[in-house]
């Protein structure tokens, strides 16, 4: 890691600050990560059974980023991201039932069954969507931030994107204008080292470390271990505060690794098994659990109890999704256009 | 009633937006310090300030996207893309995002964004700067496409656009800015999706929009000299499209020609022609005629540039020939 | 000059016909309206008559050939006249239309792209009649065969205007028959046994039959376009009735039974010869005097009304007329009237005498210019030379198109009919 703090002097983030954490808070972080993990595993099962169709991109292995970052935000802040969006949505507090129902194409889904896995929305929770055109959410984040600024609010906009998006023109346009207009954006780069199947070293001049791309735009940028939830938390707390002060955007590159393929269709031929196995030993959930136990914050019983509750939540979500009705033929034609103002 | 240039009608429309609605702001290339490439926003920066009259970098994708994003949280942005040719750079934002968000979010999101842009050829700006793409956008569900032909409609429809909660392509024809027309002092609106009978007639219906309305009107005057009475319909909007007015007219005249500036292949005239024959096949006393620009890039040289833009003589000949009039 | 005989349109849905048999050989003399071949359609074999006279110069379509409607099957002309290779030119006919169009639309000063927008859709490939959709619709409504209509549109396409302005050409009708199979009522009631065809539920909306639609359209058109005026007169039929009885008694064994209507028809024919305007058609560019007198007789049936005509009856005797009317009624019942009988009337008579009505006025049947409406013949007191007597009186009312005749002429015509009927010997015997 090159740099993990926005402060001038280098500081290595450690897990030692777990010691300052309450038990409930630690269990909260653990349970959020585990919820995402179990939700994704169930989604994959449903995909194999044919209940989830289309594209399914799971967040397994990257849970620490969403869980480390999103709960830091206030309710009036905004989250917008890419198509690997289940983790972000759950971390933002979207009901797992509504999310699972959306994956199953049911009318009770958080997008009414019209968006699917890649397009989860919950505007009440300021979750502004998963967006499936690589890089396309970046200009939208700029716009939300501009709206915040024009409304003279102090909300921040957290925008997730992957290493693939960095090579889109929209990324550079967004960096420039965010910096130029000092917009309240936290750019959250999830660098999982592969743009679909292409190694970032083969797609980007300068190699796998990307945060330097923000520097020409005068945006403060750091790189952190995205598999360390406490590191993510600490950096995001700092970054969000900076943005909220009105000093313009920050850029956080979280180094990550997705344990499964790009999507369900991906045989992962482009990564060797050794690399995958090695990264799996760095499982962010296991690491946090072990650190917590080591720090004496939680014990095996606590963990087992949480795991049991999460299993129930996910099974309820599955049952809800399975039992929910499909959209009607009329729904095909609703919400293509908005109602006129005043209606 | 006061006469007004279309440019001034647009200026008035934009001033109203800024005066009446705190949520509205303008954003685009050279709209502030420069005063707008077509001088529509001259003097705006001084009056409304940089926050509400935002000069942008030449980054169409991101400033159109910024319009969408701000609309997603309740602003009512008016984004200017200097010409419709440059909207292609922002097409991902317009089509994959603006047009989809309401639907994909199942109505949770609305995108009340007006994208003003300048369309049309005839100014010897050559192939990349002389195009008309309204028809492309009109084929995308979720977008509205407004194509005024007169100062009255430009102002009146812009007022309606401000009340609409959808992404709108508001395409102003470059050669119409200097066109004068009557614009009443008192407030009025022109609803979206209601075509205008620019001139009533009985023998043939000429359907046009934007810059081609004037061509159709000229053609109608020439046909009148030969006792051929044309009904000229200005579509005003391509989406929503007022097909009813067209069909009513075709039922009366039994003959119809559609005049459109852009290329014939894929032109919106094809959609209209198809709709007409489906809805009124037994009313037709001849083929539905499409008078479009030919499928060539716009050249620079004036003489050949003029050959690719439908003219009134062209319309007259085509009508007489095809209908045996 | 050689004339091409073309495959006739004998049904709205007929696209082609088969030449079954030639009744004439090449080189033989052909009279006008003489049958020259037998043509088979989907529905029947019919005789095909030549519409010009001369020598059958060439048989283009041999027996057994299937020929699209409108294409030449033979050529008639003067003996020895040169005939080109007709069959070849015919085959190329459709492409030739396109070629000539392209030439027409090739103004050198126009940009090349102009052609793209002005190109006419390619012409018929199988001799199909070119007509616009609305022209086809109107033709169907008005029972006009498009084969009879000449097209003024590009490539000879028949337009709405062509159909609307179409007037049946009686002189050539025999060779270009209109086919009405689908619209001919199958059961045409005898005019004295009119029954009301009603099976409806109160409050129900009945669909409008084709015939009803046709009547509605024709009557509205007539009353809209034709300024009607009416002249009525009482006609003393005493002499006519008595003469009729005598004739019927005398010729009973010959099967003759004259009706009152026969007498009226005959009187009208003579009056029309004296006042030919009542036998003419009003057209925008002039008054078309018909060279024949075709008296149309309104016949009511269960579905509505038809007005078929006895054709070319100007020189016919009363007995012949009687026979023709009887024949017309019979064939109207059996649905075997010819198309020209349906549409060829030049003057019409509507007789409601069997209903015991004293008088009524009728609507003119376009393109005719007049119709005579007659009520029943009933005994009434009349005054002759100051004495009251019993007379057999009938009221007749002429409806006439004011564009072609005026009131005084209407009166003259009607009085002529009256004169003839009141002194019937002159024309009955």
């Amino acid at each position: 890691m090159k740099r993990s703090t926005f402060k001038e002097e280098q500081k290595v983030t450690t897990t030692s600050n777990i010691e300052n954490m309450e038990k409930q808070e630690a269990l909260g972080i653990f349970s959020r990560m585990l919820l995402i993990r179990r939700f994704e595993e169930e989604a994959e099962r449903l995909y194999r059974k044919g209940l989830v169709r289309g594209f399914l991109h799971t967040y397994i292995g990257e849970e620490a980023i969403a869980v480390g970052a999103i709960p830091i935000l206030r309710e009036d802040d905004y989250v917008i991201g890419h198509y690997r969006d289940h983790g972000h949505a759950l971390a933002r507090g979207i009901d797992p039932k509504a999310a699972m129902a959306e994956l199953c194409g049911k009318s009770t889904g958080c997008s009414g069954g019209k968006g699917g896995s890649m397009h989860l929305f919950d505007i009440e929770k300021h979750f502004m969507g998963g967006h499936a055109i690589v890089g396309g959410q970046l200009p939208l984040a700029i716009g939300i931030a501009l709206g915040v600024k024009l409304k003279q609010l102090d909300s921040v906009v957290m925008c997730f994107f992957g290493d693939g998006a960095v090579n889109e023109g929209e990324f550079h346009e967004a960096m420039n204008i965010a910096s130029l207009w000092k917009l309240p954006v936290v750019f959250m780069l999830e660098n999982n080292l592969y743009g679909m199947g292409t190694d970032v070293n083969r797609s980007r001049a300068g190699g796998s470390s990307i945060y330097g791309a923000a520097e020409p735009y005068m945006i403060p940028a750091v790189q952190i271990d995205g598999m360390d939830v406490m590191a993510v938390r600490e950096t995001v707390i700092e970054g969000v505060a900076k943005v909220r002060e009105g000093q313009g955007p920050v850029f956080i590159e979280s180094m990550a690794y997705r344990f499964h393929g790009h999507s369900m269709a991906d045989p992962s031929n482009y990564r060797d098994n050794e690399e995958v196995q090695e990264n799996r030993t760095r499982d962010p959930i296991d690491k946090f659990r072990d650190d917590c136990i080591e720090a004496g914050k939680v014990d095996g019983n606590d963990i087992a109890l949480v795991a049991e509750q999460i299993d129930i939540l996910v099974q309820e979500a599955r049952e809800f999704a399975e039992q929910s009705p499909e959209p009607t033929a009329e729904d095909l034609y609703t919400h293509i256009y908005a109602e006129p103002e005043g209606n | 009633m006061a006469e007004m240039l279309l440019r001034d009608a647009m200026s008035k429309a934009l001033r109203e937006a800024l005066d009446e609605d705190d949520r509205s702001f303008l954003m685009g290339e050279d709209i502030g310090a420069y005063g707008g490439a077509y001088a529509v926003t001259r003097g705006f920066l001084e009056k409304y300030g940089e926050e509400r009259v935002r000069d942008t970098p030449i980054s169409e994708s991101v400033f159109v996207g910024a319009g969408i994003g701000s609309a997603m949280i309740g602003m009512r942005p008016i984004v200017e893309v200097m010409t419709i040719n440059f909207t292609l750079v922002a097409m991902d934002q317009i089509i994959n995002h603006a047009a989809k968000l309401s639907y994909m979010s199942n109505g949770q999101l609305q995108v009340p964004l007006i994208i003003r842009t300048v369309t049309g050829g005839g100014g010897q700006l050559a192939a990349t700067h002389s195009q008309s793409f309204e028809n492309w956008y009109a084929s995308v569900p979720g977008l509205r496409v407004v194509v005024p032909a007169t100062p009255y409609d430009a102002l009146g429809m812009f007022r309606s656009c401000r009340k609409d909660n959808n992404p709108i392509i508001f395409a102003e024809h470059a050669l119409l800015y200097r066109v004068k027309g009557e614009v009443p002092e008192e407030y009025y609106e022109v609803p979206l999706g209601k075509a205008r009978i620019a001139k009533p007639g009985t023998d043939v219906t000429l359907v046009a929009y934007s810059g081609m309305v004037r061509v159709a009107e000229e053609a109608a005057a020439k046909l009148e000299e030969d006792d051929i009475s044309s009904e000229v319909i200005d579509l005003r909007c391509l989406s929503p499209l007022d097909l009813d007015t067209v069909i009513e007219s075709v039922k009366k005249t039994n003959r119809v020609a559609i005049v459109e500036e852009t290329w014939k292949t894929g032109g919106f005239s094809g959609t209209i022609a198809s709709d007409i024959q489906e809805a009124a096949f037994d009313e037709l006393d001849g083929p539905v005629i499409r008078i479009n620009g030919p499928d060539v890039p716009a050249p620079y040289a004036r003489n050949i540039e003029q050959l690719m833009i439908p003219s009134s003589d062209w319309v007259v000949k085509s009508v007489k020939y095809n209908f045996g009039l | 000059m050689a004339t091409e005989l073309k495959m006739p349109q004998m049904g709205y849905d007929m696209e082609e016909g088969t030449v079954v048999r030639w009744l004439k050989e090449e080189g033989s003399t052909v009279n006008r309206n003489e049958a020259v071949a037998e043509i088979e359609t989907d529905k029947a074999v019919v005789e095909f008559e030549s519409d010009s006279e001369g020598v059958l110069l060439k048989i283009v379509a041999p027996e057994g050939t299937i020929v699209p409607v409108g294409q030449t099957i033979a050529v008639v002309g003067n003996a020895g006249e040169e005939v080109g290779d007709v069959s070849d030119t015919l085959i190329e006919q459709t492409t030739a239309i396109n070629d000539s169009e392209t030439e027409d639309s090739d103004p050198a000063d126009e940009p090349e792209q102009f052609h793209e927008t002005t190109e006419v859709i390619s012409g018929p490939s199988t001799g199909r009649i070119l007509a616009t959709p609305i022209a086809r619709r109107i033709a169907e409504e008005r029972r006009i065969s498009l084969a009879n209509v000449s097209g003024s549109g590009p490539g000879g396409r028949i337009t709405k205007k062509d159909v609307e302005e179409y007037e049946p050409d009686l002189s050539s009708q025999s060779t270009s028959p209109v086919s009405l199979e689908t619209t001919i009522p199958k059961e045409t009631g005898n005019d004295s046994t009119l029954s009301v065809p009603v099976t409806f539920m109160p409050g129900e909306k009945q669909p409008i039959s084709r015939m009803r639609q046709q009547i509605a359209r024709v009557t509205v058109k007539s009353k809209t376009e034709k300024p009607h005026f009416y002249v009525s007169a009482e006609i003393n039929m005493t002499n006519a009735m008595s003469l009729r009885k005598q004739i019927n008694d005398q010729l009973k064994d010959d099967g003759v039974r004259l009706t009152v209507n026969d007498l009226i028809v005959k009187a009208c024919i003579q009056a029309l010869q004296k006042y030919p305007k009542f036998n003419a058609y009003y057209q925008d560019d002039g008054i078309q005097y018909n060279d024949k007198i075709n008296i149309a007789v309104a016949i009511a049936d269960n579905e509505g009304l038809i007005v078929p005509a006895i054709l070319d009856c100007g020189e016919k005797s009363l007995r012949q007329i009687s026979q023709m009317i009887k024949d017309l009624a019979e064939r109207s019942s059996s649905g075997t009237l010819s198309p020209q009988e349906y549409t060829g009337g030049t003057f019409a008579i509507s007789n409601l005498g069997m209903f015991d009505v004293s008088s009524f006025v009728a609507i003119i049947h376009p393109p005719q210019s007049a119709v005579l409406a007659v009520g029943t013949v009933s005994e009434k007191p009349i005054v002759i030379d100051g004495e009251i007597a019993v007379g057999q009186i009938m009221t007749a009312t002429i409806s006439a198109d004011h564009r072609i005749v005026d009131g005084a002429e209407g009166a003259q015509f009607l009085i002529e009919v009256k004169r003839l009927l009141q002194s019937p010997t002159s024309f009955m015997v």
Side-chain angles (χ1 to χ4, degrees), chain B residues 268-298:
Chain B
F268 202 67
S269 58
T271 296
I272 298 169
S274 162
D275 287 345
I276 290 170
Q277 64 85 17
E278 281 180 1
F281 182 77
D282 285 327
E283 305 292 343
L284 293 172
D285 202 21
V288 179
I289 305 303
R290 298 173 59 205
I291 300 164
N292 279 74
D295 293 341
V296 298

Side-chain angles (χ1 to χ4, degrees), chain C residues 369-421:
Chain C
S369 297
V371 55
L372 188 73
V374 293
T376 195
V377 180
S378 58
E379 291 193 338
K380 280 187 183 170
I382 55 167
V383 179
I384 302 171
D385 299 332
E387 298 283 336
I388 292 179
V390 174
Q392 293 189 292
I393 303 300
M394 175 185 85
T395 304
T397 304
I398 180 90
S399 307
D401 184 343
H402 217 315
R403 296 175 303 174
I404 198 164
V405 288
D406 299 319
E409 294 172 286
Q412 286 171 341
F413 176 81
L414 186 59
I415 295 308
E416 175 67 8
V417 173
K418 176 174 175 160
R419 187 187 68 77
L420 290 164
L421 286 169

Side-chain angles (χ1 to χ4, degrees), chain A residues 78 80 107 110-112 114-115 119 121-124 128 130-131 133 135-140 142-144 146-151 170 173-174 176-177 180-181 183 331-342, chain B residues 23 25 27 51-52 54-57 59-63 65-70 72-76 89 92-93 96-97 99 101-110 140-144 162-166 239:
Chain A
Y78 292 90
I80 186 167
S107 65
C110 59
S111 304
K114 287 168 153 181
H119 307 112
F121 287 90
D122 189 337
I123 305 312
E124 240 176 60
M128 309 307 280
H131 297 269
I133 305 293
Q137 74 276 26
L138 287 152
L140 302 182
I142 297 301
I144 296 169
L146 176 61
V148 164
K149 192 173 168 168
L150 290 169
K151 290 178 171 183
E170 286 177 326
E173 293 186 22
N176 179 54
I177 213 163
L180 183 72
W181 289 352
L183 297 177
D331 291 329
L332 177 62
Y333 296 101
T334 57
H335 301 303
I336 299 168
Y337 291 94
E339 296 296 321
E341 189 163 13
Chain B
R23 302 167 301 175
F25 64 99
M27 177 161 57
E51 283 292 282
R52 300 188 73 202
R54 307 185 75 88
D55 277 324
T56 66
S59 305
E60 288 84 1
S61 188
V62 82
F63 73 71
I68 300 166
S70 64
M72 285 164 74
I73 64 164
M75 300 298 285
R76 301 192 73 84
V89 183
D92 168 54
Q93 287 300 316
N96 281 328
H97 296 86
L101 290 172
S102 172
Y103 194 76
M104 287 204 309
S105 70
N106 202 30
Q108 294 180 75
L109 283 174
Q110 296 183 337
V140 179
L143 294 180
R144 298 215 188 285
R162 284 178 47 210
K163 294 185 171 176
D164 197 275
N165 280 339
N166 294 287
S239 170

